[in-house]
Amino acid sequence: MDNTIWRVGTTYIPVHHVEGSAKWYKSNLGADVMYQDEKKAIINFANQSFFLVKASEKATANFEDSDGNVHFSMTFEVDGLVALENLHQQFNESGIKIGPIEDRGHAGRNFIFYDPSGNKFDIWSELSPDFKEKYGINNEYL
């Protein structure tokens, strides 16, 4: 028997308002809304399925690290610095709460953004080489 975990199938994100959050993820992140009711929405984007689950007004996917800093729970990837800069500008123009593009001392650059429920997420400019190979993504098209 092969006990290898092959992929993350679904990620659950706490939200305060399901309908508004589903619309926000669709319009700002290009999500496809697959199902929605008053307690949850199932959306697909970034090659994954997400459940937006109605949660208390205080709940977020964020956590406090050992230094007391509020940390994001997930990093999304784009293919290259130009794509990162373009997305940062697009988010800024759309009024999404974002942080500056940062050099964190490793390959690529990052920035953070927040959804309407206060969930903090990260964007990284380095798309996984294995992912690029699997899906035939080539930088020369960017």
Side-chain angles (χ1 to χ4, degrees):
M1 181 173 169
D2 185 359
N3 293 323
T4 301
I5 296 175
W6 288 96
R7 66 184 283 271
V8 174
T10 305
T11 299
Y12 293 80
I13 300 173
V15 297
H16 305 149
H17 306 285
V18 173
E19 183 177 356
S21 292
K23 287 178 182 175
W24 186 90
Y25 277 83
K26 180 178 174 121
S27 67
N28 291 292
L29 303 183
D32 292 321
V33 180
M34 308 308 291
Y35 174 84
Q36 182 179 325
D37 62 30
E38 60 280 343
K39 298 277 187 170
K40 68 185 166 299
I42 302 169
I43 62 173
N44 292 334
F45 75 99
N47 211 38
Q48 190 175 341
S49 179
F50 296 86
F51 276 49
L52 305 178
V53 180
K54 184 170 178 62
S56 73
E57 290 294 321
K58 294 180 182 179
T60 69
N62 311 334
F63 65 94
E64 194 172 291
D65 67 20
S66 62
D67 293 327
N69 300 308
V70 175
H71 206 280
F72 46 84
S73 61
M74 192 176 319
T75 297
F76 297 104
E77 297 176 351
V78 297
D79 194 12
L81 184 56
V82 170
L84 182 86
E85 291 168 343
N86 289 341
L87 187 60
H88 189 265
Q89 180 178 348
Q90 177 186 328
F91 280 11
N92 188 44
E93 290 170 358
S94 296
I96 296 172
K97 182 179 176 185
I98 57 174
I101 294 176
E102 301 175 284
D103 179 350
R104 297 183 185 157
H106 56 68
R109 300 290 183 268
N110 300 69
F111 74 87
I112 57 154
F113 73 96
Y114 295 83
D115 78 358
S117 296
N119 292 301
K120 182 178 185 179
F121 298 112
D122 187 48
I123 303 280
W124 187 34
S125 66
E126 299 300 307
L127 190 58
S128 160
D130 290 342
F131 186 87
K132 289 171 73 168
E133 182 179 337
K134 181 176 182 178
Y135 291 97
I137 298 171
N138 187 333
N139 279 355
E140 65 188 60
Y141 297 111
L142 296 176

